[in-house]
């Protein structure tokens, strides 16, 4: 399948690759970062779907199913909630918040567990043109409920954001508990959840937890190549967007996108900007795989893989960035042992055929590395990707410590 | 290659398909609209490239080559020009103009040849928060140079836009002549060219014509599935973006993107938002195909295909929306004969395995249809897609006129 492609994409330098058992994919460097993740064969096959018109009867039912299943991914059965799938990186979700759910001068509160929460705060400030309040969690932990209560009691907010898993710290926040606390103090505030590194691996109950907007990206636990901003908005979030007097973004303007999404979900084509047909085919395949597996089963399997991996890392004496009770299930952030040079570890593992990630949390970025364990690598049948990674970490540390 | 995929993407209703000779692609409905177009086998294969990290040594040289070749697509050799490739539909290019090259209250002039020029005017107004001046061309023609001169002499503008080919009217504008006229009257105005339906099929000389920003999308004559905003900015456009005091978009913020593009072009990874790895692999393949063919050769072949098709349509007595001297080479807009019901024609052709487009130009939308003839369908070796379409139009008109 990939022979001609291999010629076309011949790497500059010769690199080790890994052959995945029971896979049609060419041997390749295993991508074990917190997104993009490894993809299933069927998802990759769907990426090469021959051309289709965006309003053709070939494509409309595909997009329709994707929107219907996006609701399920977020466990929403409320017909007034609005799934949204747009061609973009996940970050566009932040512009969607700023351009639609906020007006100039409005007040925003961000609960930050790292780099990506801080970036979200930056992004929203572009739209409110006023300071965004940020409550930072201690390193390795989420924001304590007492701090949530204190911040919400001190000032009134239009939008409050929670980053479910910050990809920089590998910390998970208890969205249910924080959302409940926000609701109890400021019932009118819109609750936004950044689920870029959590949708598909951590539980999200859009309706039950009273959330207003949850955003994610395709290339993490959703299991699809990068290029899709995937989100869901509540009725009141939609109403605020529709009531905005002057749109402040063309591409992120929900006043235009909502009718498009509603048309496709009802089996009719519509046009605002051309949807990325092949990525949406791939998302259809991946959402089917996820839902066939069962969401709760998938979450439990991810947790099991993650806990085993973390246990084994700790048994080697390695220290994790996120305290275990705040540890996300889709990735692990691990301090380099003081005895070795961090970049050497990643370089050697890379030369053995596996890509891991450097750190990115301000202040400790050079002191740790990150391993992603989402999707097929963590829960795929007959996949042992996480064992391969653990074996390489152990072996390479021994080599470096010699 | 597509057997399992076919099961996964089984259409709701049974539809005719066409088998493309000498192609690995499964028989499918031929997509002959003005984008998305038909893709080459190698481009589709690249779409299923196994996962790669965005900063891995597998991917960096791929993105590097894409940026280098994007310059060539626009015939730019000036090292101060800046190619930009971002995950999004082509429309994001409009936000890039508004969010980076314009400030609130600044003046914009749009030369409009149809629906997409008008949308561009709308988009820019979101950012300038003031009226955008629009000079509309007569239906089927571009804006006369005398009108260009009149508008530029009456008022000072910060940004002036030209839509090289408006996909609604199939009219091509003489960008070289209009840009020269703008420069002669207002040398300081930034000249923006919407090349969504022209890059890869019509000549664009970024340096020679003194352009400041040219934007396109992947799914038209660039020959790659939808999902990439592709553009190039001049040094003074870049400088204006860098000098903007307060960014008004996170996702379209060139202050952030420019260092990323420069890093990749120099062979280094960098991160702002995750690039769509697979689409960028596909773009690498397509740009190689385009440049191997030779740009001028490619333009000439498109013109030949287009002229033959238009001649044959006129020989049937059909009337074209764009006057021949203003006819774009990548698509044709054709009035339905008064004797038939338009939707019936498209429906019957669709049932025979070819997707064509409805009209979209305000006021005449229901009176015409559009055929795209870009990329492999127009210039591919051993491809006869345009002949197939002409045959179906002729045959189906005869059936309907019986």
């Amino acid at each position: 399948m990939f022979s001609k492609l291999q010629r076309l994409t011949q790497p500059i330098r010769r690199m080790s690759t890994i052959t995945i058992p029971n896979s049609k994919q060419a041997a390749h460097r295993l991508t074990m970062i917190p997104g993009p993740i490894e993809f299933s064969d069927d998802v990759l096959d769907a990426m090469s779907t021959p051309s289709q018109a965006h309003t053709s009867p070939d494509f409309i039912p595909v997009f329709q199913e994707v929107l219907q299943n996006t609701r399920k991914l977020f466990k929403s059965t409320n017909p007034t909630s609005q799934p949204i799938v747009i061609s973009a990186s996940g970050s566009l979700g932040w512009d969607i918040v700023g351009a639609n759910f906020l007006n100039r001068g409005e007040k925003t509160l961000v609960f930050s567990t790292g780099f990506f929460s801080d970036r979200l705060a930056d992004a929203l400030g572009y739209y409110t043109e006023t300071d965004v309040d940020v409550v930072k969690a201690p390193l390795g932990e989420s924001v304590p409920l007492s701090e949530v209560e204190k911040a919400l009691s001190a000032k009134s907010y239009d939008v409050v954001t929670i980053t479910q898993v910050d990809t920089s710290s590998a910390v998970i926040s208890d969205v249910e508990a924080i959302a409940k606390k926000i609701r109890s103090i400021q019932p009118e505030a819109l609750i936004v959840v950044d689920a870029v590194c959590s949708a598909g691996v951590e539980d999200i109950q859009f309706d039950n937890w009273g959330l207003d907007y949850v955003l994610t990206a395709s290339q993490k636990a959703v299991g699809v190549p990068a290029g899709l901003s995937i989100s869901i908005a509540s009725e009141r979030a939609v109403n605020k967007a529709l009531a905005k007097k002057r749109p402040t973004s063309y591409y992120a303007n929900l006043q235009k996108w909502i009718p498009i999404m509603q048309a496709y979900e009802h089996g009719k084509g519509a046009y605002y900007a051309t949807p990325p047909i092949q990525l949406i085919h791939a998302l259809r395949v991946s959402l089917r795989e996820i839902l066939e597996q069962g969401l709760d089963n998938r979450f439990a399997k991810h947790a099991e893989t993650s806990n085993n991996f973390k246990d084994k890392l700790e048994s080697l004496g390695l220290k994790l960035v996120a305290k275990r009770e705040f540890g996300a299930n889709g990735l692990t952030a691990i301090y380099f042992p003081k005895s070795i040079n961090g970049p050497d570890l990643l370089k050697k593992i890379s030369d053995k055929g596996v890509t891991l990630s450097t750190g990115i949390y301000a202040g400790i970025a050079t002191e740790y590395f990150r391993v992603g364990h989402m999707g097929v690598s963590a829960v795929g049948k007959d996949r042992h990707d996480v064992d391969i990674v653990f074996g390489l970490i152990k072996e390479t540390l021994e080599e470096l410590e010699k």
Side-chain angles (χ1 to χ4, degrees), chain A:
Chain A
M1 173 176 181
F2 297 100
S3 60
K4 188 157 189 191
L5 178 66
Q6 278 174 313
R7 182 181 60 72
L8 284 161
T9 60
Q10 200 177 5
I12 294 292
R13 63 183 178 92
R14 213 174 153 62
M15 288 173 291
S16 288
T17 55
I18 285 179
T19 302
I20 300 166
N22 309 310
S23 162
K24 289 193 303 175
Q25 294 172 47
H28 62 281
R29 182 196 290 267
L30 213 55
T31 303
M32 296 298 286
I33 67 172
I37 66 168
E38 287 287 312
F39 309 115
S40 77
D41 289 358
D42 289 341
V43 164
L44 282 180
D45 270 358
M47 287 293 288
S48 16
T49 301
S51 191
Q52 293 177 350
H54 40 299
T55 53
S56 82
D58 310 270
F59 178 66
I60 291 169
V62 174
F63 204 178
Q64 179 178 36
E65 181 184 319
V66 158
L67 291 164
Q68 289 165 343
N69 283 344
T70 296
R71 294 179 184 275
K72 292 181 188 161
L73 179 71
F74 297 117
K75 294 188 174 174
S76 177
T77 57
N78 187 339
T80 65
S81 65
Q82 182 59 56
I84 301 155
V85 176
I86 300 179
S87 174
S89 303
S91 315
L92 186 79
W94 300 345
D95 290 80
I96 290 176
V97 175
N100 295 280
F101 308 138
L102 282 165
N103 293 296
R104 240 167 249 161
E106 286 191 347
K107 301 289 178 284
T108 315
L109 175 63
V110 168
F111 291 118
S112 172
T113 45
F115 178 88
F116 291 93
S117 323
D118 293 344
R119 282 229 167 158
L120 166 55
D122 278 352
L124 299 186
Y126 291 176
Y127 290 94
T128 61
E129 298 188 9
T130 184
D131 289 344
V132 171
D133 291 338
V134 179
V135 175
K136 281 186 195 286
L139 175 59
E141 302 177 21
S142 72
V143 175
L145 284 178
S146 58
E147 292 292 314
V148 173
E149 186 165 345
K150 205 171 118 190
L152 269 298
S153 305
K155 188 167 156 186
S156 173
Y157 290 101
D158 299 285
V159 164
V160 182
T161 81
I162 309 162
T163 300
Q164 187 168 26
V165 171
D166 196 294
T167 320
S168 71
S169 59
V171 161
I172 184 167
S173 293
D174 183 343
V175 171
E176 183 180 12
I178 298 174
K180 200 173 164 188
K181 183 64 79 181
I182 299 167
R183 279 274 164 277
S184 73
I185 305 172
Q186 295 194 26
E188 299 306 316
L190 292 183
I191 301 177
V192 168
V193 176
D194 181 329
V196 167
C197 201
S198 61
V201 48
E202 312 285 1
D203 195 19
I204 300 169
Q205 301 188 22
F206 188 75
D207 298 350
N208 290 344
W209 299 351
L211 309 178
D212 289 300
Y213 186 64
V214 178
L215 63 104
T216 192
S218 48
Q219 80 276 9
K220 301 195 187 250
V222 173
V224 173
L228 291 174
S229 155
I230 302 163
S231 61
I232 187 164
S234 71
E235 186 179 20
R236 62 183 199 157
V238 164
N239 285 342
K240 186 159 184 189
L242 295 178
K244 183 153 177 167
K245 290 237 176 71
R246 195 169 186 115
T248 46
S249 165
Y250 180 86
Y251 195 62
N253 182 0
L254 290 189
Q255 293 180 4
K256 301 290 187 174
W257 280 117
I258 287 168
I260 305 296
M261 298 299 146
Q262 289 176 343
Y264 275 103
E265 198 173 351
H266 289 95
K268 279 181 288 189
Y271 174 76
Y272 183 57
T274 308
I277 311 284
Q278 281 67 18
L279 279 163
I280 288 171
H281 271 276
L283 178 56
R284 174 161 82 151
V285 171
S286 192
L287 286 173
R288 279 188 182 189
E289 290 173 351
I290 290 170
L291 296 170
E292 272 167 23
Q293 189 180 21
L295 281 174
D296 292 332
N297 179 39
R298 181 178 173 88
F299 302 150
K301 283 197 116 179
H302 271 104
E304 188 188 328
T305 300
S306 173
N307 284 325
N308 285 342
F309 183 56
K310 288 174 167 70
D311 287 346
K312 282 158 74 183
L313 291 166
E314 288 188 326
S315 77
L316 294 183
L318 291 168
K319 203 182 148 216
L320 309 184
V321 173
K323 290 189 182 163
R324 284 302 291 271
E325 63 269 40
F326 298 105
N329 292 307
L331 81 162
T332 303
I334 309 147
Y335 284 106
F336 294 118
K338 294 239 156 67
S339 53
I340 65 143
N341 176 272
D344 287 350
L345 178 71
L346 299 190
K347 170 73 171 53
K348 272 182 166 278
I349 291 173
S350 170
D351 288 345
K352 292 172 181 176
V354 173
T355 307
L356 303 181
S357 268
T358 54
I360 191 175
Y361 191 102
I364 59 162
T366 60
E367 296 171 27
Y368 74 103
F369 66 106
R370 294 174 297 157
V371 177
H373 31 82
M374 291 176 252
V376 286
S377 286
V379 302
K381 246 179 88 175
D382 306 319
R383 295 282 291 236
H384 305 284
D385 302 11
V386 182
D387 293 333
I388 292 172
V389 171
F390 177 74
L392 285 179
I393 291 173
K394 185 168 183 290
E395 169 194 293
T396 312
L397 280 176
E398 284 164 5
E399 286 165 20
L400 287 169
E401 283 168 344
K402 252 183 209 160

